[in-house]
């Protein structure tokens, strides 16, 4: 009798650093306050992870991130593999030393970028052959390569290499994608990794609840250090996404962190936390900042609006970020209209702070078991504008 | 008998804040160490003034500038008049409050930008009609307008509106330009200005020594708070520029600061200081930074060079700036190649620090009366690379 496909054959020692502790649970929903420890420090969840795709959270320095309350950042395997190359990052002492970030780093596996950015993707059981979005050069990325790259980068939390099915995809395609993702997940766990690196499995299955269940069950059978929802926030509506998470999360162990990849808006996060999700990442705060869209408790501010031309007030009266403490809407509008580089940094500082402090409010609400009150208030303030 | 053209009719009270003190003079050349006090603090000269054209030294925050050792910055009348408009800056509390810079600000008069940037320039005795380089709209700027704008901006040191002749220009054109500049200088002094604003006259005269003398004598007759060399670094060779300064500076009073506008490279400054110049401004440190060219004591570093791809060392081993203290050449190269916004900031911090500390070395050398030794060493280290 052959072993189950996810029976693992570890050939190396793993020293567990990542420690996940549940500090409090809401009584009326699945929202939970937890603490996650890594070799580069710990952080409380629910947590938002700003995206530093190419080894830099765009326009921000590590000090900017710390000052904004950021505890953990994400970097992309796909991008850093292509440029400057993971070998160079490793030679320079790994990603922490390379980019001067002392806190935890999560690296994604490249699965999603190969699907969303690369050209001429061709998938086999071994992995994906693709063309670089930078120069069209041909590359191959599979579970083995993704783990080797992530080992070289040295992130604290690394992700299994997955196959993200396009949205929409038919059932048969998604079924194949789930099977491939499970096979690759097993291979990822068998690959040697850094002694202090913990690895999360990525649940696929598109919008098909039984495939989500299948993906979750197979990954849980492999005993990952955490689980992530992949293939969401790719075009499906919020109700569908909520339903998938609600129906799938029951198959995940209570004592492991659950990470919703690529999500999302403040509303998305406020709605996802009570489903039991612990971690989130999205380019939204930094990308919107560079487009001049600023988040506030009362809704979005489009800084180029002529109405701000002489506005001496800060972006958000209640915000304690560096930008709101020192600059007027009028100055931020001027910088943005004049294409000044400082605009991107000041706007990004504000948005990243907004997200970090939204998460802090969420954690405080869970601690005090008043999440519903928090959520009602979140929408009430927004609607009052 | 009509009064001399520069006989002034002040109708307003000027409270002298600007105080210029000579601290030391070199024994072998005209280099001098001085201190200049303004309503927003003082600084020692020779000093370099980074350029914040649109109310922002590109890519840098006020704290970045302070940390790099910058004491005074420059902003452009022409740009701020066009966008966001000096009325808006005034309503927001003036340029210091608008851009959150607490130290001294020097504003130029717009004369040079009208010459170098604007389209369809048409000059009369009243001023210049021109088209905006941003949107082609028609505007008029003369001595009256330039002073009104600079009053609204609220800089500590403001500049008389001048006519910068193109290079090369024939003698007759430059003669007219000098006469117009003197007429406008007189009108500028007659305009009301802020109680703590001091105004510098700008010496024109192209490459014609007798016209430079004429311009200097006429302006000195009007008793400005300081004098600037305009119309240099516009295409003439260094020898010509040195000769013009050397021959003209004798006509300027010893007890007033002398400012060489738009200069220049580190070498330009090292050569200009012993001629008796106190102040310099140039976009070079910030513009070069954005182009990936970094200044070091051993010469320029072109950060995109492949030789830096795995270079773990800082841009300059002897540099104490934030960038050199925290990042490798390899990381800076990666950021630059990947078009990361952080590249512009980190490079700009380094170059602005380089200039600020070059000036500090210059001041120390003057203090210790060893400028020739300093200058020899400056070239020796450079040639050793």
């Amino acid at each position: 009798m052959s072993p189950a496909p996810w029976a693992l054959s570890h050939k190396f020692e793993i020293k567990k650093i990542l420690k996940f502790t549940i500090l409090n649970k809401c009584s009326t929903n699945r929202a939970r306050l937890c603490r996650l420890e890594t070799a580069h420090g710990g952080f409380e969840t629910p947590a938002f992870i700003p995206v530093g795709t190419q080894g830099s959270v765009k326009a921000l320095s590590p000090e900017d991130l710390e000052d904004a309350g950021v505890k953990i950042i994400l970097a992309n395997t796909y991008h850093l593999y292509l440029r400057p190359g993971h070998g160079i990052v490793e030679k320079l002492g790994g990603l922490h030393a390379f980019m001067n970030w002392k806190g935890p780093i999560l690296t994604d596996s490249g699965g999603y970028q190969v699907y969303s950015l690369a050209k001429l993707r061709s998938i086999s059981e071994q992995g994906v052959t693709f063309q670089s979005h930078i120069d069209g050069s041909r590359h191959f990325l599979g579970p083995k390569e993704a783990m080797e790259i992530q080992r070289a980068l040295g992130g604290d939390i690394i992700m299994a290499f997955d196959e993200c099915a396009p949205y929409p995809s038919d059932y048969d395609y998604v079924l194949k994608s789930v099977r491939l993702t499970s096979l690759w997940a097993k291979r990822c766990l068998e690959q040697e990794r850094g002694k202090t690196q913990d690895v999360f499995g990525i649940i696929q299955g598109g919008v098909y609840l039984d495939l989500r269940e299948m993906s979750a069950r197979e990954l849980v059978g492999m005993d990952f250090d955490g689980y992530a929802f992949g293939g969401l926030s790719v075009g499906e509506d919020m109700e569908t996404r909520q339903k998938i998470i609600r129906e799938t999360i029951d198959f995940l162990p209570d004592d492991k962190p659950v990470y919703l990849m690529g999500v999302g808006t403040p509303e998305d996060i406020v709605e996802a936390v009570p489903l039991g999700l612990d971690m989130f990442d999205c380019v939204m705060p930094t990308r919107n900042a560079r487009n001049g869209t600023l988040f506030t408790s009362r809704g979005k501010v489009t800084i180029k609006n002529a109405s701000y031309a002489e506005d001496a007030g800060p972006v958000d009266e209640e915000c304690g970020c560096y930008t709101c403490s020192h600059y007027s809407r009028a100055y931020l509008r001027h910088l943005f209209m004049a294409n000044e580089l400082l605009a991107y940094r000041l706007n990004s500082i504000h948005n990243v702070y907004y997200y970090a402090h939204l998460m802090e409010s969420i954690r405080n609400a869970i601690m005090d078991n008043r999440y519903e009150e928090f959520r009602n208030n979140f929408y009430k303030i927004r609607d009052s504008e």
Side-chain angles (χ1 to χ4, degrees), chain A residues 9 16-17 57 146 185 216 345 352:
Chain A
S9 51
K16 286 288 160 200
I17 296 287
V57 177
R345 178 165 170 238
V352 165

Side-chain angles (χ1 to χ4, degrees), chain A residues 201-316:
Chain A
I202 302 177
I203 301 159
Q204 292 290 348
V207 295
Y208 306 104
L209 290 176
D210 60 328
L211 296 183
R212 286 281 174 185
E213 177 182 344
M214 178 180 156
S215 183
R217 284 187 186 277
E218 290 185 359
L219 294 175
V220 170
M222 300 178 210
D223 195 22
F224 278 92
D225 302 305
Y227 299 91
F229 281 94
L232 289 179
S233 203
V234 291
E236 81 288 349
D237 60 39
M238 198 187 192
E239 201 182 328
T240 304
R241 189 199 311 160
Q242 293 282 105
K243 191 173 165 66
I244 291 166
I245 296 166
R246 198 179 293 114
E247 305 263 319
T248 310
I249 208 158
D250 278 331
F251 305 112
L252 302 180
D254 197 50
D255 62 346
K256 299 282 173 73
V258 187
Y259 165 26
L260 179 54
M261 302 184 83
V263 171
T265 65
E267 296 86 338
D268 287 338
I269 293 172
V270 167
E271 294 307 320
V273 163
L275 303 181
L277 291 158
D278 306 302
M279 295 158 69
F280 306 88
D281 82 278
C282 192
V283 295
M284 192 167 279
T286 45
R287 182 173 291 167
N288 277 13
R290 298 195 304 284
N291 294 333
T293 303
L294 300 171
F295 291 96
T296 81
S297 55
R298 294 178 192 279
K300 288 182 195 167
V301 166
T302 304
I303 200 65
K304 74 176 176 189
N305 281 355
S307 59
Y308 302 132
E310 303 187 10
D311 189 334
V315 172
D316 187 345

Side-chain angles (χ1 to χ4, degrees), chain A residues 13-282:
Chain A
E13 177 207 8
I14 299 287
K15 189 175 158 190
K16 286 288 160 200
I17 296 287
L18 193 146
K19 216 179 83 185
F20 185 67
T21 318
I22 299 170
L23 303 176
N24 202 31
K25 285 179 170 187
C26 274
S27 59
T28 54
N29 58 46
R30 296 185 62 137
R32 58 190 198 166
L33 175 71
C34 307
R35 187 165 172 86
L36 212 160
E37 294 290 342
T38 79
H40 287 88
F43 57 95
E44 298 194 341
T45 64
F48 180 82
I49 315 175
V51 177
T53 301
Q54 304 186 111
S56 170
V57 177
K58 289 194 192 304
L60 300 178
S61 69
E63 291 81 1
D64 290 337
L65 293 165
E66 282 169 24
D67 291 349
V70 172
K71 302 290 184 191
I72 171 171
I73 60 170
L74 179 150
N76 286 101
T77 287
Y78 169 88
H79 289 85
L80 291 167
Y81 155 73
L82 288 178
R83 186 171 58 192
H86 53 291
I88 284 181
V89 176
E90 189 173 25
K91 272 185 198 162
L92 272 292
L95 203 46
H96 291 89
F98 189 56
M99 65 181 290
N100 184 35
W101 172 255
K102 292 169 184 63
I105 296 176
L106 183 150
T107 53
D108 72 356
S109 62
Y112 180 75
Q113 278 70 35
V114 164
Y115 145 73
S116 63
L117 286 178
K119 298 170 200 160
L120 293 177
R121 192 167 73 121
S122 132
I123 305 175
S124 76
E125 215 185 87
Q126 272 62 52
V128 186
T129 303
F130 63 94
Q131 283 195 328
S132 159
H133 72 293
I134 301 170
D135 61 6
S137 54
R138 283 173 69 86
H139 299 270
F140 180 82
L141 213 53
K144 182 168 169 288
E145 293 74 18
M147 292 299 279
E148 279 171 2
I149 296 165
Q150 291 186 87
R151 188 186 179 193
L153 296 175
D156 302 286
I157 300 172
I158 65 180
M159 303 299 295
F161 189 70
D162 59 328
E163 210 270 298
C164 183
Y167 175 84
S169 289
D170 63 34
Y171 188 89
D172 286 349
Y173 185 99
V174 178
L175 172 61
K176 273 188 220 160
S177 153
V178 165
R179 284 186 177 144
L180 203 53
T181 294
S182 289
L183 178 70
W184 289 352
K186 176 176 172 292
R187 290 190 181 159
C188 283
L189 281 178
E190 287 170 355
Q191 276 291 314
E192 185 160 1
R193 56 184 190 271
K195 287 207 188 325
T196 62
Q197 290 188 307
D198 284 276
V199 60
F200 283 25
I202 302 177
I203 301 159
Q204 292 290 348
V207 295
Y208 306 104
L209 290 176
D210 60 328
L211 296 183
R212 286 281 174 185
E213 177 182 344
M214 178 180 156
S215 183
R217 284 187 186 277
E218 290 185 359
L219 294 175
V220 170
M222 300 178 210
D223 195 22
F224 278 92
D225 302 305
Y227 299 91
F229 281 94
L232 289 179
S233 203
V234 291
E236 81 288 349
D237 60 39
M238 198 187 192
E239 201 182 328
T240 304
R241 189 199 311 160
Q242 293 282 105
K243 191 173 165 66
I244 291 166
I245 296 166
R246 198 179 293 114
E247 305 263 319
T248 310
I249 208 158
D250 278 331
F251 305 112
L252 302 180
D254 197 50
D255 62 346
K256 299 282 173 73
V258 187
Y259 165 26
L260 179 54
M261 302 184 83
V263 171
T265 65
E267 296 86 338
D268 287 338
I269 293 172
V270 167
E271 294 307 320
V273 163
L275 303 181
L277 291 158
D278 306 302
M279 295 158 69
F280 306 88
D281 82 278
C282 192

